[in-house]
Amino acid sequence: MHFLERGKRPRPKLRRQMVRIVVTEMMEKCPHLQNRIENVRRTSTPKIRKRKHQTDSDHTDEIPLEERAAMQDTYGCIKWNVEFLPLEETPESQQQKMEKLKVMFQQADANPDEIKSLMKSTYYTQCQHVNQGKSIKCLREEWPFWFDELGMSVHFKELTGIDLEETFTRNLDLKGKRLLDYMTTVAVSQSKAFLQTYARLQRMRGPQSGCSDDVKEMVLPLLSYFEEKEESMLFCVEDTCLADEVQLEQVPLTPTIIVCGQSCYSSRRYMLSIDRNLVSTNISSFISALCLMFGSYYNFNIHYPSELASTLEFLQRCFFSINPEKGTKVENKNSKRRLSVNPRVLTLIQDLADHEWR
């Protein structure tokens, strides 16, 4: 429809897809057509002779960007690459809106609804910039709102169809208590190492309580359960540390939560680092920091590091409701084929389901 609205001829692949859609609808309306089709197709020629292997020469049209992209880039996305500007937009109008967003970022009283509208209407240009490989530093300068909660959520919703923080908090209410109960009753009895880590975390936690603290109590044991290191996701600094005092050369390149304090439990302020660039320096809650970190993997085409493969996929499937049937978001460091669902993640999901019925 995008092509036709602009008076352009769709690519052969899209034309074939259109025919399949029309034929499928026809078959539902007129089932007797199936017999007629089969009669027409019947032939005495052995099928093996008719089969033809496709080669690159069979396709003369340019390979779409989605097919050239790495599997990890498009994984879990419903609108990874937008081919056309909205009909009412031009490159000039997109540039004007981008500049307006920069100005509004400097204003303390900027209208959130207007920010949301401008971010949504410039989604096309945001996609172009990130898919062209612009650096995080450049993206931060051109799209400052993209790195705060509102802007991150708008782009993530367009990209995946999921409300970032709303989906997480809803699933936290539905599944968080069950996961904590499983960790404290089943997981601690299955592994001595996990029991020791959980006891250490409980001492660090102390008597604090609250929604954000419950998330910390869920995420930190998850890392231990999957035998993945906290340092790959969390980097602790002094609670009075300023942004320019963070030793970024020691921070992982992947999205990392900077914890201002001795631990997550004592911290009341967080930052976010991507590619060793501090993109958000005053995040007030751990839930917001976690959502910004997770959203960054999708918004900026970043692959899950193998050091966090299980924890991130578990959060993705159970708490952010992104469940692709095939593919993976994990970086591919070798040619070894990865399963569509991490076996350890699948096992924990099944164990949690069983635990609910006990």
Side-chain angles (χ1 to χ4, degrees):
M1 292 305 297
H2 280 303
F3 276 93
L4 295 175
E5 286 171 351
R6 290 160 177 79
K8 295 186 177 182
R9 180 178 173 82
R11 294 190 299 265
K13 180 179 178 181
L14 295 178
R15 297 202 301 271
R16 290 193 293 271
Q17 186 178 359
M18 179 179 68
V19 171
R20 292 189 191 101
I21 292 171
V22 172
V23 170
T24 300
E25 290 294 321
M26 287 171 58
M27 297 307 298
E28 290 182 0
K29 300 288 184 182
C30 309
H32 64 274
L33 283 176
Q34 180 67 35
N35 296 331
R36 172 62 181 157
I37 292 170
E38 289 173 351
N39 288 336
V40 171
R41 284 181 174 175
R42 187 171 293 118
T43 174
S44 57
T45 307
K47 289 187 178 180
I48 191 70
R49 286 188 180 176
K50 296 178 71 177
R51 190 175 295 129
K52 178 183 177 183
H53 293 288
Q54 281 193 341
T55 63
D56 292 337
S57 61
D58 293 334
H59 299 285
T60 56
D61 52 310
E62 183 183 354
I63 300 173
L65 186 59
E66 288 92 337
E67 294 182 18
R68 287 185 275 124
M71 174 199 304
Q72 291 92 334
D73 293 340
T74 59
Y75 176 84
C77 301
I78 61 171
K79 200 160 67 172
W80 181 78
N81 180 54
V82 185
E83 290 195 63
F84 300 107
L85 275 168
L87 286 172
E88 67 278 8
E89 293 285 341
T90 65
E92 291 74 23
S93 68
Q94 292 277 290
Q95 183 66 31
Q96 289 169 3
K97 290 180 178 181
M98 186 173 77
E99 295 302 325
K100 185 174 183 179
L101 282 165
K102 289 182 190 177
V103 173
M104 292 177 70
F105 189 73
Q106 304 300 324
Q107 301 170 351
D109 59 346
N111 186 327
D113 291 333
E114 186 177 6
I115 296 168
K116 184 176 180 180
S117 175
L118 288 170
M119 285 295 295
K120 186 173 180 179
S121 64
T122 53
Y123 176 76
Y124 168 87
T125 302
Q126 294 161 31
C127 287
Q128 296 297 308
H129 285 184
V130 77
N131 293 344
Q132 289 165 4
K134 288 199 174 188
S135 69
I136 290 296
K137 183 179 180 181
C138 180
L139 292 173
R140 176 69 175 78
E141 292 170 354
E142 294 185 345
W143 304 96
F145 275 117
W146 199 349
F147 295 85
D148 74 1
E149 293 176 53
L150 180 57
M152 184 76 73
S153 296
V154 171
H155 189 96
F156 190 84
K157 176 66 181 292
E158 291 293 305
L159 180 67
T160 65
I162 302 291
D163 287 304
L164 185 60
E165 192 161 330
E166 180 183 318
T167 299
F168 179 79
T169 52
R170 183 178 67 249
N171 282 323
L172 182 65
D173 291 339
L174 293 172
K175 307 171 186 177
K177 186 177 183 300
R178 190 195 324 162
L179 177 59
L180 286 173
D181 187 59
Y182 177 85
M183 291 290 179
T184 57
T185 58
V186 179
V188 293
S189 64
Q190 293 177 337
S191 167
K192 184 177 180 180
F194 179 79
L195 174 60
Q196 291 173 342
T197 300
Y198 185 73
R200 174 180 64 83
L201 292 174
Q202 286 298 98
R203 290 193 297 272
M204 290 168 57
R205 184 180 195 270
Q208 304 173 59
S209 63
C211 182
S212 203
D213 288 315
D214 289 342
V215 175
K216 299 168 191 175
E217 192 172 358
M218 179 186 76
V219 172
L220 297 179
L222 261 181
L223 288 163
S224 175
Y225 178 88
F226 288 124
E227 299 173 330
E228 296 176 338
K229 295 181 179 179
E230 292 178 23
E231 307 89 80
S232 299
M233 181 185 288
L234 310 165
F235 184 84
C236 291
V237 297
E238 295 291 331
D239 57 354
T240 56
C241 184
L242 300 176
D244 57 5
E245 295 174 338
V246 179
Q247 296 180 333
L248 289 168
E249 68 277 2
Q250 299 178 15
V251 178
L253 282 166
T254 48
T256 304
I257 298 173
I258 308 296
V259 179
C260 300
Q262 293 183 340
S263 74
C264 276
Y265 294 120
S266 61
S267 177
R268 288 294 174 266
R269 183 170 64 94
Y270 306 88
M271 306 184 206
L272 179 66
S273 168
I274 307 174
D275 284 354
R276 295 187 179 135
N277 289 273
L278 287 178
V279 296
S280 188
T281 58
N282 191 26
I283 308 169
S284 59
S285 77
F286 186 73
I287 288 179
S288 295
L290 185 69
C291 289
L292 284 169
M293 179 209 68
F294 183 83
S296 298
Y297 280 102
Y298 283 82
N299 284 6
F300 306 113
N301 284 358
I302 301 172
H303 304 173
Y304 295 162
S306 55
E307 297 85 0
L308 290 174
S310 298
T311 301
L312 288 173
E313 183 170 341
F314 181 82
L315 290 173
Q316 164 210 309
R317 292 185 178 277
C318 284
F319 289 92
F320 290 100
S321 299
I322 299 176
N323 290 289
E325 295 180 359
K326 60 182 180 179
T328 178
K329 185 84 172 156
V330 182
E331 63 182 344
N332 189 13
K333 287 188 173 180
N334 49 50
S335 57
K336 184 178 179 181
R337 184 175 178 271
R338 288 187 177 273
L339 298 174
S340 294
V341 182
N342 184 313
R344 299 194 69 188
V345 172
L346 185 59
T347 298
L348 179 56
I349 291 173
Q350 291 172 338
D351 288 347
L352 283 170
D354 292 341
H355 182 69
E356 185 181 18
W357 292 99
R358 290 174 185 169

